[in-house]
Amino acid sequence: MNEHNALAARSPARRLSKAERRQQLLDTALLIVRQENADRLTLGHLAVRAGVSKPVVYDHFATRSALLIQLYRWIDMERIRTFTDAMSAAPRSQQETVEMLASAYIHCAADKTDEFHAVGAALAGSEEKAVVFQELLDNCVAMFVSVLTPHANMTSQSLRQCCIGLVGAGEALSVALTRGQLEEKAAVTAFALLIKGLMEASES
């Protein structure tokens, strides 16, 4: 037995906790969508790619729809976290904040090639997607509140109410973009004007 094998024998692989295993499965599911496509994401294929038995996968995700919903939710949360972290990494002017927020939101709607849209398409028409989509909109409102708070002269309740309206407007612009009624640049400009208008109104 060589030194590497002897060390492996003395130090067996650590058993993953339930939370760690769930994250490993989500990471692997994302890779499947990215490298193959969402249609290839089945519980059986996930088990093969993750190197685990099918019962392990079923212990975390009872159905393919449940897996897709959790993946859809996780991708969106990661996008929001990444953007929020980037915005808080350094002080930014109100104008910079408005432009970055508008651009990031509309770009996500315009980019139909990413994993979020692929998983969303796989869920199209499902009742579960409608429920989780409202949750994701609520998360987006919370992100808008977090990013705009340093630049808004209003109560947190008023800002949240306004951000609900902004996210609704962003969704409407996204739909118009998807239907070809707007170019991405025009949609970003329109959304930035709406956000800027809110900021200016809070200062008056």
Side-chain angles (χ1 to χ4, degrees), residues 5-67:
N5 289 337
L7 180 60
R10 292 195 303 270
S11 305
R14 181 176 67 85
R15 185 183 181 87
L16 297 179
S17 69
K18 191 173 182 69
E20 289 171 333
R21 177 65 71 191
R22 184 183 185 84
Q23 189 57 57
Q24 181 220 6
L25 292 173
L26 286 173
D27 288 337
T28 304
L30 182 60
L31 279 177
I32 292 172
V33 173
R34 183 177 294 160
Q35 297 174 352
E36 301 176 58
N37 58 60
D39 292 337
R40 287 283 291 153
L41 182 56
T42 63
L43 298 181
H45 189 46
L46 176 58
V48 172
R49 286 289 301 266
V52 299
S53 65
K54 285 185 180 179
V56 171
V57 174
Y58 280 100
D59 185 45
H60 290 272
F61 310 105
T63 64
R64 179 174 184 265
S65 290
L67 168 61

Side-chain angles (χ1 to χ4, degrees), residues 170-204:
E171 281 302 298
L173 288 168
S174 298
V175 170
L177 181 65
T178 301
R179 291 176 176 172
Q181 298 169 335
L182 281 176
E183 296 292 333
E184 182 175 347
K185 184 177 180 180
V188 170
T189 299
F191 200 26
L193 285 172
L194 289 171
I195 300 170
K196 185 178 180 180
L198 169 63
M199 295 294 95
E200 291 176 345
S202 74
E203 296 171 353
S204 60

Side-chain angles (χ1 to χ4, degrees), residues 70-82 116 135-137 139-140:
Q70 290 305 315
L71 185 59
Y72 193 59
R73 179 183 285 120
W74 176 60
I75 293 171
D76 189 69
M77 289 175 62
E78 283 298 295
R79 293 198 312 182
I80 288 178
R81 182 189 61 78
T82 299
F116 181 73
E135 176 189 323
L136 300 190
L137 285 179
N139 291 340
C140 193

